[in-house]
Amino acid sequence: FDAAEDELVLEIATGIEPVRVPASAGLAGACARTRRIINVPDCYADARFNRDVDKASGYRTRCMLALPLIDHKNVLVGVMQVLNKTGGVFDGDDEVLARALAAQCAVALQRVRMTEALIEGEKMRQELEMARVVQMSTLPAVMPSLPGYDLYGTSQPASLTGGDTFDLAVLDQDLLIVLGDATGHGIGPALSVTQMHAMLRMAFRLGADLETAFLQVNNQLAATLADDRFITAFIGLLDPATHRLRFHSGGQAPILHFKAASGTCARYNPTSFPLAAMPLATLRPAIDLDLMPGDILVLLSDGIYEYHDRHNELFGEDRVQAVLRVHHGRRMSELSGILLDAARAFAQGAPQDDATTL
């Protein structure tokens, strides 16, 4: 019995290819619906009998016992049909024997299904693990060293793979800073952000400026990704000599700039649509930030802001800013851990279904 399709699938029968019929059809369907044994001495005299299988196989069914196969949880597994008793029709003794056989068949069939499900699950797990390895390999293995700056990033998928990525890389004299979050979960979004990651690295290594890289990567992704796929992304270039950061944000917000002098956060909204949402010909002007000693640029994925407790209250931006005000003097690796710990403590064990990237 294929519950998803509400069909009975004839799989175990000598010389007959698999046949699918509605679970309401024929004697097998009647047995499945009523979950009762059906003893038919003359099948062609019974209006419920479906003759199509006989026509397909060349076999002629005279008499039949149809028995429901019920597992240990009282779930219908299938229907067993015993055909054409030698020398007559099926009687009460045959029904007793068939019931015992049906019970064993139900257990055996369920075991086969469970084994198949385990095998398919293991195949999927291995595929996800491979995708995770590929995705994680695109993240910085070590944090770049930049005089006067403390750099840190981390990404923790909610499952084996996710839609988050980040990059911190010194390109020529500038520091490339990227945070990306693709829609959805699993292999598809992981491949999307990995593709974006590689395209950005290539564009900047070939000498593209910020606007050209953003536009070209956006338009290429818009042409190749499915219509329901897009990536929110922060893409910035920091000049460590002037301490000026220029960035575009495709749907990624809020961008927080903690100012040590005042102990407050400046907040910036996106400058453009998410990457791949639509082709773009032009961009709004990039945002320029001047970083002062002790300032912190804070880029967080939705997984932090939307960390929720059991009542679905979100951790939110105000709590992030409160952590920054208290702990801004820590090293960035420590601050990252404090932020994650604060979000987890707030959630009080509620399961999280989104990756967290800082």
Side-chain angles (χ1 to χ4, degrees):
F1 177 56
D2 183 345
E5 300 295 334
D6 195 31
E7 291 179 334
L8 290 168
V9 187
L10 182 63
E11 290 184 335
I12 306 168
T14 303
I16 301 176
E17 292 297 318
V19 176
R20 303 181 73 94
V21 296
S24 59
L27 287 166
C31 178
R33 288 196 308 275
T34 63
R35 297 194 177 195
R36 298 173 63 89
I37 187 170
I38 297 176
N39 188 341
V40 183
D42 184 355
C43 290
Y44 278 81
D46 193 309
R48 298 171 295 180
F49 180 62
N50 183 353
R51 306 181 184 190
D52 292 343
V53 177
D54 274 12
K55 290 179 181 178
S57 65
Y59 185 83
R60 182 173 177 84
T61 305
R62 292 187 294 102
C63 58
M64 175 194 298
L65 278 180
L67 301 98
L69 303 180
I70 309 296
D71 71 6
H72 64 289
K73 293 184 179 179
N74 201 35
V75 174
L76 180 70
V77 178
V79 173
M80 183 179 75
Q81 293 178 310
V82 187
L83 310 178
N84 293 3
K85 180 180 178 180
T86 301
V89 297
F90 297 105
D91 56 24
D93 291 338
D94 297 320
E95 291 182 14
V96 172
L97 180 61
R99 282 193 174 97
L101 180 59
Q104 295 179 44
C105 284
V107 172
L109 190 56
Q110 189 71 325
R111 185 177 297 148
V112 168
R113 282 187 165 183
M114 291 172 65
T115 301
E116 289 174 345
L118 284 171
I119 291 171
E120 288 302 312
E122 178 60 19
K123 288 180 180 177
M124 178 60 72
R125 190 199 66 78
Q126 290 179 4
E127 290 176 1
L128 286 170
E129 177 63 27
M130 187 177 299
R132 186 191 72 84
V133 171
V134 171
Q135 182 183 10
M136 299 304 288
S137 70
T138 65
L139 303 180
V142 295
M143 294 300 110
S145 178
L146 201 63
Y149 285 87
D150 180 10
L151 308 174
Y152 185 75
T154 183
S155 184
Q156 301 178 5
S159 56
L160 277 177
T161 59
D164 283 14
T165 193
F166 77 92
D167 202 3
L168 290 166
V170 177
L171 305 177
D172 293 330
Q173 302 303 314
D174 291 337
L175 176 73
L176 171 64
I177 308 170
V178 176
L179 174 71
D181 185 359
T183 53
H185 306 278
I187 294 177
L191 294 176
S192 297
V193 294
T194 301
Q195 182 181 358
M196 178 204 74
H197 201 150
M199 292 166 68
L200 283 172
R201 279 281 189 108
M202 182 65 70
F204 285 115
R205 289 195 186 283
L206 291 175
D209 59 24
L210 179 64
E211 284 72 19
T212 300
F214 189 99
L215 279 174
Q216 293 302 318
V217 170
N218 172 80
N219 293 346
Q220 183 63 28
L221 289 172
T224 56
L225 294 185
D227 291 341
D228 61 344
R229 295 288 181 187
F230 57 85
I231 304 170
T232 60
F234 172 98
I235 304 170
L237 289 174
L238 170 68
D239 182 344
T242 63
H243 312 300
R244 170 159 286 196
L245 170 73
R246 296 188 71 242
F247 73 84
H248 276 291
S249 172
Q252 185 70 46
I255 309 302
L256 299 181
H257 174 197
F258 179 82
K259 298 183 177 182
S262 62
T264 60
C265 279
R267 183 186 190 281
Y268 297 91
N269 290 321
T271 61
S272 184
F273 297 103
L275 294 180
M278 65 184 70
L280 297 173
T282 59
L283 288 171
R284 282 198 241 164
I287 292 176
D288 292 277
L289 296 183
D290 290 314
L291 299 176
M292 304 299 291
D295 285 7
I296 308 173
L297 175 69
V298 184
L299 305 176
L300 309 175
S301 68
D302 288 348
I304 298 293
Y305 295 115
E306 296 178 3
Y307 225 103
H308 59 82
D309 63 12
R310 296 188 181 280
H311 305 290
N312 283 324
E313 183 180 352
L314 302 183
F315 186 65
E317 184 182 340
D318 288 344
R319 290 184 176 89
V320 170
Q321 292 197 26
V323 171
L324 294 175
R325 286 194 296 271
V326 175
H327 298 286
H328 62 88
R330 302 290 192 99
R331 291 189 59 81
M332 293 302 97
S333 57
E334 296 172 348
L335 179 59
S336 175
I338 291 169
L339 258 176
L340 282 170
D341 288 344
R344 291 174 183 138
F346 167 80
Q348 295 183 332
Q352 301 304 309
D353 44 25
D354 201 0
T356 53
T357 301
L358 305 85

